Amino acid sequence: MKGKIEFQIMFEKRILCIGAGYVGGPTMAMIAYKCPQHRVTCADINPERIAAWESGELPIYEPGLEEIVGATRGRNLFFSTDIPSCIRDNDIIFVSVNTPTKNFGIGRGEAADLQYWEKTARQILQYAVSSKIIIEKSTFPIKTALAMERILTGQTEDIHFEVLSNPEFLSEGTAINDLANPDRVLIGSRETEAGFRARDVLVDIYANWVPKEKILTTNIWSSELSKLVSNAFLAQRISSINAISAFCEKTDADVAEVARAVGMDNRIGSRFLNAGIGFGGSCFKKDILNLVYLCRHYGLEEVASYWESVVKMNEYQKERFIRNMLNTMFNTLSGKRICLFGFAFKPNTGDTRETPALDIARKLLAERAEVVITDPKALPNARLDLAGAEGNLFYEENPYKAAEGSHAIAVMTEWDLYRNLDYEKIFRGMVKPAFIFDGRNIIDRPKCHEIGFNVFSIGKPPLTHYE
Ligand code: NAD
Ligand code: UGA
């Protein structure tokens, strides 16, 4: 009892996040770091994940994360698997559980699978003994808040649950900087007195480190939809430049030069115009497919197929990449050793969800190539992703050893490491003619060509040593 009184005196607010993944963990660590006056708990049903958050070896790799977790863990940041008591003890509850694409039943392959979210809402209802603010942190389909309200309201007279939408815009690999210096924080609320009150509580938390003009408040549906639209727009830019990369390859234009020329127009802007083998990551595809599903649900077939084409273009880019490898390497990859430089869906993360490298590896194995995968952070996940895959598959952390004896290198992830390797040394150890297929346009093309490689990049004229 004495402990409980001290605990209430020490901290102004008690904040919980249900779901301690790529979003829940770093976001709560940042709130704890910037708000020492609040007590923050991150809870998850996965005991291994929670044990890892509590250990020296965090469950996810994110530059700068160890430092802020180290500074806050045990001070005002705590981890737990005891979800019922966490719900009882906290007044502000973020929900950051996974919302993958549904892989069964109606909406299979498109709609969001909301089972984890609904289970969480029902648990909140079951264990809460006082009023709470519930914050949607996961990316949800528009109108999820309405469903959440329906589950939570009307069951107990003295307890009120106010639902807010506060989508997360962080990118993996730069999560800590994105959280510390966000372009904006978006908070959607019901336009009622209770809604505004709850919204202001959340605004006050972020205002500890985010300038007020960057905290955007909207109605709850605009907030939910803005998250899907942001990801759709970002992915659309990548598919647009990738479409142009195919055109460049037919016409000897250079996609990087085109992107630079186009991006210098302030109205267009230069970011997210890097052509490559396609976007990966757990969210772009899932969120666009969800948008497509919702458009169809509302009878907007033309709008649905417009957004669907962004995903189709992404698939086409991977297909094109493999076809190009096959055509270039004399129409057979069978028995050839191909080294994949990188497996993570982007650099500075070990995350491999929806990584294009997985598709490429599978397609190469289907061609009966021997595949060697190297990556500084993602090999454990690569092993899980490809467990049970048939064929000759090897993993090697050292890129020099990985490339030894290969017929070709295919760059899958834009890790800085691969920009600065000793390609002369690599070339010496490879089977000739040696090929590089640069799926991320990061290597020094003229230099590698001079060394002796046949260099194929996305959206650029090939540099070869034959006619
Ligand atoms: P994740 O899979 O890494 O984490 C989700 C966690 O929720 C898991 O650890 C899981 O065990 C836990 N969980 C599931 N059901 C639970 C329950 N009933 N009770 C307690 N814990 C439960 O997913 P993530 O990458 O953190 O994404 C979470 C959400 O955030 C998704 O909706 C995603 O679209 C969105 N998002 C992700 C990113 C990103 O960069 N990964 C960025 C912005 C938004
Ligand atoms: C993306 C968004 O950028 C975040 O704002 C959003 O919060 C997040 O999704 C989410 O909702 O999960 P993330 O997937 O972590 O973040 O990484 P990005 O930097 O967006 O890269 C996604 C993919 O696009 C990567 O495979 C990357 O290699 C590729 N990409 C990116 C390109 O091919 N070209 C580019 O110009 C940029």
Side-chain angles (χ1 to χ4, degrees):
M1 189 63 198
K2 187 166 173 273
K4 180 125 191 156
I5 292 165
E6 276 173 6
F7 155 93
Q8 282 172 354
I9 294 169
M10 272 177 66
F11 296 107
E12 285 176 20
K13 291 194 171 71
R14 287 164 296 165
I15 300 169
L16 170 67
C17 179
I18 300 181
Y22 284 88
V23 168
T27 310
M28 291 308 114
M30 184 57 70
I31 293 179
Y33 187 65
K34 298 289 187 180
C35 311
Q37 72 277 30
H38 302 323
R39 180 189 159 101
V40 181
T41 307
C42 214
D44 204 289
I45 36 168
N46 180 339
E48 282 107 50
R49 217 164 207 189
I50 290 300
W53 279 113
E54 285 176 324
S55 76
E57 186 114 349
L58 300 184
I60 59 174
Y61 171 71
E62 193 61 60
L65 180 62
E66 263 179 25
E67 287 78 352
I68 64 162
V69 172
T72 50
R73 193 173 43 203
R75 179 191 81 179
N76 67 329
L77 177 66
F78 302 90
F79 295 94
S80 175
T81 49
D82 185 355
I83 292 166
S85 69
C86 283
I87 292 172
R88 269 193 300 273
D89 288 348
N90 288 278
D91 312 313
I92 299 169
I93 303 181
F94 287 87
V95 178
S96 186
V97 298
N98 35 329
T99 52
T101 303
K102 203 174 164 194
N103 61 6
F104 56 89
I106 294 172
R108 180 171 189 259
E110 280 190 352
D113 181 350
L114 297 174
Q115 58 173 308
Y116 308 100
W117 156 82
E118 186 171 335
K119 189 162 176 256
T120 308
R122 290 187 189 280
Q123 274 189 316
I124 293 173
L125 180 66
Q126 185 181 355
Y127 296 110
V129 290
S130 59
S131 296
K132 320 257 172 219
I133 298 173
I134 311 297
I135 303 161
E136 297 178 345
K137 183 48 102 178
S138 303
T139 304
F140 288 121
I142 185 164
K143 297 284 173 179
T144 300
L146 187 62
M148 198 174 260
E149 283 170 2
R150 283 193 182 140
I151 290 175
L152 292 172
T153 48
Q155 311 277 347
T156 37
E157 274 178 16
D158 338 329
I159 302 183
H160 176 74
F161 298 99
E162 191 61 38
V163 179
L164 299 176
S165 160
N166 172 221
E168 184 48 62
F169 296 101
L170 68 78
S171 291
E172 288 177 31
T174 54
I176 298 308
N177 186 48
D178 295 343
L179 288 165
N181 308 293
D183 284 351
R184 79 302 207 185
V185 166
L186 179 58
I187 302 174
S189 68
R190 284 290 202 173
E191 291 167 302
T192 59
E193 219 175 283
F196 291 143
R197 252 199 323 272
R199 181 195 72 186
D200 292 346
V201 170
L202 190 54
V203 168
D204 283 349
I205 292 173
Y206 282 109
N208 280 284
W209 77 97
V210 180
K212 275 258 166 88
E213 63 279 9
K214 290 195 171 183
I215 304 178
L216 193 64
T217 55
T218 64
N219 88 35
I220 198 158
W221 320 126
S222 309
S223 171
E224 286 181 336
L225 184 58
S226 298
K227 173 63 197 178
L228 292 185
V229 173
S230 290
N231 274 358
F233 272 48
L234 289 168
Q236 180 203 41
R237 281 174 74 89
I238 300 170
S239 279
S240 297
I241 199 68
N242 282 344
I244 297 304
S245 76
F247 196 56
C248 288
E249 285 167 32
K250 296 281 182 205
T251 55
D252 287 342
D254 179 326
V255 74
E257 291 178 355
V258 174
R260 184 149 186 260
V262 170
M264 278 175 81
D265 183 329
N266 274 332
R267 294 169 302 174
I268 296 173
S270 61
R271 298 180 66 190
F272 265 69
L273 287 181
N274 292 326
I277 31 159
F279 56 77
S282 63
C283 294
F284 278 173
K285 184 174 168 191
K286 128 178 127 55
D287 291 348
I288 296 176
L289 290 178
N290 191 210
L291 185 63
V292 168
Y293 180 76
L294 291 167
C295 291
R296 292 221 162 96
H297 170 80
Y298 288 104
L300 301 170
E301 182 51 44
E302 285 75 7
V303 185
S305 43
Y306 173 75
W307 286 109
E308 200 168 29
S309 69
V310 171
V311 175
K312 284 189 180 153
M313 184 54 63
N314 203 47
E315 298 305 314
Y316 169 71
Q317 195 71 349
K318 289 179 271 188
E319 191 61 44
R320 229 165 57 71
F321 189 78
I322 283 286
R323 273 185 195 285
N324 190 24
M325 283 182 87
L326 187 62
N327 293 344
T328 306
M329 295 177 74
F330 320 112
N331 290 310
T332 175
L333 295 172
S334 186
K336 289 182 180 157
R337 192 172 167 94
I338 314 287
C339 177
L340 299 188
F341 271 13
F343 199 81
F345 82 95
K346 63 183 283 194
N348 299 320
T349 177
D351 194 353
T352 60
R353 291 177 292 177
E354 296 292 337
T355 180
L358 179 59
D359 273 7
I360 300 293
R362 287 202 177 119
K363 287 183 202 304
L364 288 172
L365 289 171
E367 291 294 333
R368 305 211 174 142
E370 200 175 292
V371 178
V372 190
I373 298 173
T374 183
D375 189 290
K377 292 286 174 197
L379 289 190
N381 280 334
R383 281 198 172 89
L384 292 175
D385 295 341
L386 283 160
E390 277 182 26
N392 287 325
L393 186 56
F394 304 93
Y395 302 92
E396 169 55 60
E397 200 170 320
N398 181 323
Y400 294 102
K401 283 193 192 153
E404 184 79 34
S406 295
H407 295 71
I409 291 168
V411 181
M412 299 284 102
T413 313
E414 58 274 40
W415 285 102
D416 273 345
L417 166 74
Y418 303 135
R419 295 177 202 271
N420 306 316
L421 293 174
D422 179 349
Y423 280 96
E424 261 184 67
K425 178 172 159 186
I426 289 175
F427 181 75
R428 282 198 298 276
M430 287 178 64
V431 177
K432 310 298 179 311
F435 296 87
I436 293 187
F437 297 91
D438 186 356
R440 295 296 183 181
N441 287 353
I442 56 166
I443 60 148
D444 185 336
R445 277 158 48 85
K447 189 168 164 201
C448 284
H449 182 234
E450 203 183 297
I451 289 169
F453 282 105
N454 296 295
V455 183
F456 291 81
S457 307
I458 301 276
K460 292 169 187 264
L463 298 176
T464 63
H465 293 281
Y466 50 82
E467 280 306 301

